């Protein structure tokens, strides 16, 4: 049977794969598992529940709340708020559980559920497996005063924004910023935080209607952000995704600055100020070769993990490290957050610009990107990437690229496809090798 949980919670077509019934059952099972682990011992359990702007989030929120309250968990409803905002409130309000209803960068028809443990950290894989194993089990329902109470917590937005601004120490006065809110969860919080920190902000795609989240905007569609930066002659542009846990940037020339380059900028800043623990940054196997070479030149160690911010977080937590992230724009600054936070990332890139008096283009120039091609191959059996013929094709490609490139073949954790990533000395070579390997994937893994 296919697992309910993927690499980032439960995700799928809302009211198709992810139904109200499943949302309710997951919430009940989560409450039972955490109770049996002793998380609720000695007190009445409390959960923080937030969502992004998708119309389906309204009925899924109701289902999640019904499940938690029926299991005896009190609920604070924070409404539309970024995933890192829900994580922050889960920690600061000493809640036992956080729930974020969002499909992040996925198209509007999808939705998802992410569970957070006490302290605002993502649940371990083992706990997710236990929750899945206990779906729809018979149970003794509380009655009377034993059921959970549901309360709206309207102070959540202001509390989260104030926290973000407190992480900066230098005013951002004079910096002109365009912020693409992806018609998502940061449509209020993002502009508020950057303005409160002193920046001159033009917000675009910040009028969510429940249907337009990620629609031609945000971190997966940078065209309108680039156009707005050039039109406004802004210093920089930032693009968030639907739940604002990731951030990509555009410099004043319209050039894209990705998560690897942002990590380079923040790592250099934190090393300079003595805040980069063990002079080490955590990144994934998707990080560009140019990133690892730039970090080596700066005297910074890179530890690589599997793709997924949860694995970056695990590596950071294991060694008490302070910075990690992904090329996609998930950047985790553990001094201030327990998960990736796009608004926080933007604030600290801006602070570095303000402190050094250097443009984003100048800061990003510390890293030279190797040409990288990513081909998504859909409608294949992603569980058969160990196919001998396919592995032989990968080995042949790696031999061709030598020390000036690499190949990464991996199944998606959230979608039914296989990703083929190739880096090479030239874009033409990367394109050619990626195309050949994608053809082998289609041929060998066809369903």
């Amino acid at each position: 049977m296919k697992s309910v949980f993927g690499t980032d919670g439960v995700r799928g077509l809302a009211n198709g794969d992810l139904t109200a019934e499943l949302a309710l059952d997951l919430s009940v099972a989560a409450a039972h598992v955490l109770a049996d682990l002793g998380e609720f011992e000695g007190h009445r359990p409390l959960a923080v529940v937030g969502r992004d702007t998708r119309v389906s989030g309204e009925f899924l929120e109701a289902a999640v709340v019904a499940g938690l309250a029926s299991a005896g968990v009190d609920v604070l409803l924070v409404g539309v708020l970024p995933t890192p905002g829900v994580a922050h409130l889960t920690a600061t309000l000493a809640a036992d559980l956080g729930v974020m209803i969002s499909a992040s960068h996925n198209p509007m028809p999808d939705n998802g559920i992410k569970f957070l443990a006490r302290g605002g950290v993502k649940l371990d894989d083992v706990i997710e497996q236990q929750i899945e194993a206990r779906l729809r089990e018979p149970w003794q329902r509380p009655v009377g005063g034993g059921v959970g109470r549901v309360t709206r917590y309207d102070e959540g937005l202001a509390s989260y924004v104030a926290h973000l601004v407190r992480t900066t120490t230098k005013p951002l006065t004079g910096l002109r910023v365009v912020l693409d809110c992806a018609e998502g969860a940061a449509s209020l919080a993002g502009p508020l935080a950057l303005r409160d920190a002193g920046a001159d902000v033009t917000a675009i795609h910040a009028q969510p209607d429940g249907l337009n989240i990620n629609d031609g905007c945000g971190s997966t569609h940078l065209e309108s952000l680039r156009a707005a930066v050039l039109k406004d002659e802004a210093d920089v542009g930032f693009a968030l995704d639907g739940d604002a846990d990731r951030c990509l940037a555009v410099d004043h020339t319209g050039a894209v600055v990705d998560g690897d380059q942002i990590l380079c900028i923040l790592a250099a800043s934190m090393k300079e100020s003595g805040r980069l623990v063990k002079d080490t940054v955590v990144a994934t196997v998707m990080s560009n070769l140019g990133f690892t070479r730039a970090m080596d030149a700066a005297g910074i160690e890179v530890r690589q993990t599997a793709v997924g911010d949860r694995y970056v977080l695990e590596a950071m937590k294991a060694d008490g490290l302070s910075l990690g992230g992904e090329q996609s724009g998930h950047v985790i600054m553990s001094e201030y957050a327990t998960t990736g936070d796009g608004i926080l990332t933007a604030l600290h890139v801006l602070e570095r610009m303000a402190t050094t008096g250097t443009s984003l283009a100048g800061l990003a120039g510390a890293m030279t990107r190797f040409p990288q091609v990513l081909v998504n191959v859909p409608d294949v059996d992603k569980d058969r990437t160990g196919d001998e013929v396919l592995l032989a094709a990968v080995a042949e490609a790696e031999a061709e690229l030598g020390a000036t490139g690499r190949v990464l073949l991996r199944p998606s954790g959230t979608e039914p496809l296989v990703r083929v990533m190739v880096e090479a000395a030239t874009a033409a070579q990367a394109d050619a090798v990626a195309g050949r390997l994608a053809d082998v994937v289609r041929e060998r893994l066809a369903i």
Side-chain angles (χ1 to χ4, degrees), residues 253-425:
T253 72
V256 174
V257 176
D258 68 13
D260 286 340
Q261 292 167 296
I262 289 171
L263 271 181
C264 277
I265 292 167
L266 296 180
S269 174
M270 292 172 66
K271 183 183 181 187
E272 185 179 294
S273 62
R275 292 161 38 239
L276 187 65
V277 174
K278 299 180 181 178
D279 285 345
T280 299
V281 62
V282 178
T284 77
V285 292
M286 287 291 287
S287 292
N288 192 278
L289 269 175
F291 169 76
T292 55
R293 293 190 177 187
M295 291 293 89
D296 183 61
I300 296 172
E301 180 183 347
V302 177
R303 295 192 188 170
Q304 290 192 315
T305 73
V307 175
D309 63 326
R310 68 183 306 141
Y311 304 115
V312 173
L313 276 164
E314 286 173 4
M316 292 175 65
K317 185 177 179 181
D319 285 329
L321 302 176
S322 52
L323 182 65
E326 299 184 275
Q327 187 184 75
S328 61
H330 280 115
V331 175
I332 304 155
M333 304 178 73
S334 62
E335 184 178 354
Y336 309 117
T338 59
T339 186
D341 190 326
I343 306 172
L344 180 71
T345 299
L347 282 169
H348 284 265
V349 170
L350 288 167
E351 185 174 44
R352 183 63 170 171
M353 291 170 64
T355 301
T356 61
T358 305
S359 69
L360 180 60
L363 294 173
M367 172 187 154
T368 301
R369 276 189 296 196
F370 277 61
Q372 185 181 80
V373 173
L374 178 64
V375 180
N376 292 326
V377 186
D379 303 321
V380 293
D381 185 350
K382 65 180 183 179
D383 295 323
R384 290 196 292 115
T385 52
D387 176 83
E388 289 184 6
V389 174
L390 178 57
L391 292 179
V394 170
E396 181 181 345
E398 289 175 332
E400 175 187 335
L401 295 170
T404 61
R406 66 186 180 115
V407 173
L408 180 65
L409 192 78
R410 72 178 187 89
S412 169
T414 58
E415 299 174 79
L417 51 84
V418 169
R419 305 188 196 280
V420 178
M421 190 276 284
V422 175
E423 289 173 349

Side-chain angles (χ1 to χ4, degrees), residues 165-248:
V165 176
R166 282 196 301 270
T167 69
T168 63
T169 57
K170 185 174 181 63
L172 308 181
T173 307
L175 286 173
R176 299 182 63 191
V177 183
V178 178
L179 182 66
D180 182 345
C181 301
E183 308 289 6
S187 293
L188 288 176
L192 275 174
L194 268 60
R195 286 173 182 144
D196 285 356
D200 178 1
V201 181
T202 298
I204 62 173
H205 302 299
Q207 301 293 325
D209 61 10
L211 304 175
N212 57 4
I213 187 171
N214 297 324
D215 186 8
C217 59
S219 61
T220 54
H221 301 279
L222 297 174
E223 299 81 10
S224 59
L225 176 63
R226 294 177 66 187
V229 167
L230 294 173
K231 178 177 178 292
D232 291 358
E233 297 183 347
D235 297 300
V236 60
F238 295 102
L240 309 174
D241 64 341
D243 68 337
D245 65 352
R246 68 169 69 182
C247 170
L248 294 179

Side-chain angles (χ1 to χ4, degrees), residues 41-178:
E41 196 169 322
H43 67 281
R44 190 175 175 94
L46 176 67
V48 172
V49 177
R51 61 181 177 87
D52 69 21
T53 55
R54 292 164 217 266
V55 64
S56 60
E58 297 171 0
F59 80 77
L60 290 172
E61 176 187 71
V64 166
V65 171
L68 292 173
S70 71
V73 178
D74 290 338
V75 177
L76 292 178
L77 273 177
V78 299
V80 173
L81 203 66
T83 291
V86 173
H88 170 72
L89 293 174
T90 300
T92 58
L93 296 175
D96 303 285
L97 176 66
V99 186
M100 180 66 187
I101 301 163
S102 173
S104 189
H105 60 282
N106 281 31
M108 181 278 294
D110 289 348
N111 216 324
I113 298 175
K114 304 178 189 181
F115 290 104
L116 303 168
R118 185 180 291 133
V121 298
K122 292 188 177 182
L123 295 183
D124 293 337
D125 290 347
V126 172
I127 297 178
E128 288 187 342
Q129 292 164 8
Q130 291 174 0
I131 292 171
E132 186 167 341
R134 296 182 63 174
L135 280 173
R136 305 178 186 91
E137 67 176 2
W139 58 293
Q140 185 66 42
R141 300 168 186 269
V143 295
V147 302
R149 305 296 298 272
V150 182
T151 307
R152 294 203 169 272
Y153 189 72
D154 295 329
E155 301 92 333
L157 173 64
S159 174
Y160 172 56
V161 168
H163 156 70
L164 291 170
V165 176
R166 282 196 301 270
T167 69
T168 63
T169 57
K170 185 174 181 63
L172 308 181
T173 307
L175 286 173
R176 299 182 63 191
V177 183
V178 178

